[in-house]
Amino acid sequence: MKLTLEIAKVLLEAAERKAKEMGLADDIAIVDDGANLIAFHRMDTARIAGIDIAQNKAWTSVAMKMPTSNLAQAALPGNPSFGINTTNHGKVVILGGGIPLMKDGMVIGGIGVSGGTSAQDIEVANAAIHVFEALKNKRDSAAISYRIGSNQPM
């Protein structure tokens, strides 16, 4: 399964829907297996600073092959990964909200969300992850070709 723009759009919609439900204005980024940006959505009134943060969360989740929240504890002073957020030209983000998209044990992309607390960003990203899990579990490739905002096939 390759992460396509069509799938990315569906994931963006799921994340935006959750953010609205929570009363948040988020920046949401979807990247491919090389951490290259596929799609980005900045909700109305979302912070400009969140643009880079969301993209870097998605990048970090792919580059480190783990949710960014896993790095928070390890990056504390005295812990094994202290200072990791200063590497890669400051691109490594240790705040929650970046989650890799996995298929058959392989990272095929990632999502990054910025706009709320780390816990809120994780919740919004997880809304997209749940949709992704449902999509990848469908054997029929037509199942992932849904018109955004509806249950009707394209």
Side-chain angles (χ1 to χ4, degrees):
M1 175 180 190
K2 180 173 173 35
L3 189 58
T4 64
L5 178 59
E6 262 322 293
I7 294 170
K9 287 178 182 179
V10 172
L11 300 181
L12 286 176
E13 182 187 290
E16 180 182 10
R17 188 171 37 252
K18 183 63 173 180
K20 283 181 178 177
E21 179 184 302
M22 295 171 66
L24 300 171
D26 284 336
D27 294 286
I28 308 159
I30 308 287
V31 299
D32 65 14
D33 60 346
N36 302 297
L37 187 64
I38 295 175
F40 179 82
H41 183 71
R42 180 172 174 250
M43 294 173 65
D44 292 340
T45 73
R47 293 183 189 109
I48 294 169
I51 295 169
D52 281 345
I53 295 168
Q55 290 179 22
N56 287 341
K57 285 181 180 184
W59 181 90
T60 300
S61 74
V62 171
M64 299 299 291
K65 299 181 180 183
M66 68 176 69
T68 55
S69 60
N70 289 11
L71 295 170
Q73 190 69 30
L76 290 174
N79 285 347
S81 296
F82 176 68
I84 194 165
N85 54 306
T86 65
T87 66
N88 294 280
H89 305 284
K91 246 180 137 166
V92 176
V93 178
I94 60 172
L95 305 169
I99 303 176
L101 300 167
M102 307 290 291
K103 174 73 173 149
D104 298 326
M106 302 292 293
V107 175
I108 67 162
I111 182 169
V113 176
S114 179
T117 64
S118 285
Q120 289 170 324
D121 291 349
I122 292 166
E123 192 172 345
V124 170
N126 273 327
I129 295 296
H130 292 310
V131 169
F132 176 74
E133 292 296 323
L135 293 176
K136 77 176 187 180
N137 289 331
K138 300 283 183 185
R139 297 271 182 214
D140 181 3
S141 63
I144 61 173
S145 297
Y146 281 90
R147 187 172 292 122
I148 295 173
S150 77
N151 291 330
Q152 303 300 314
M154 295 180 92

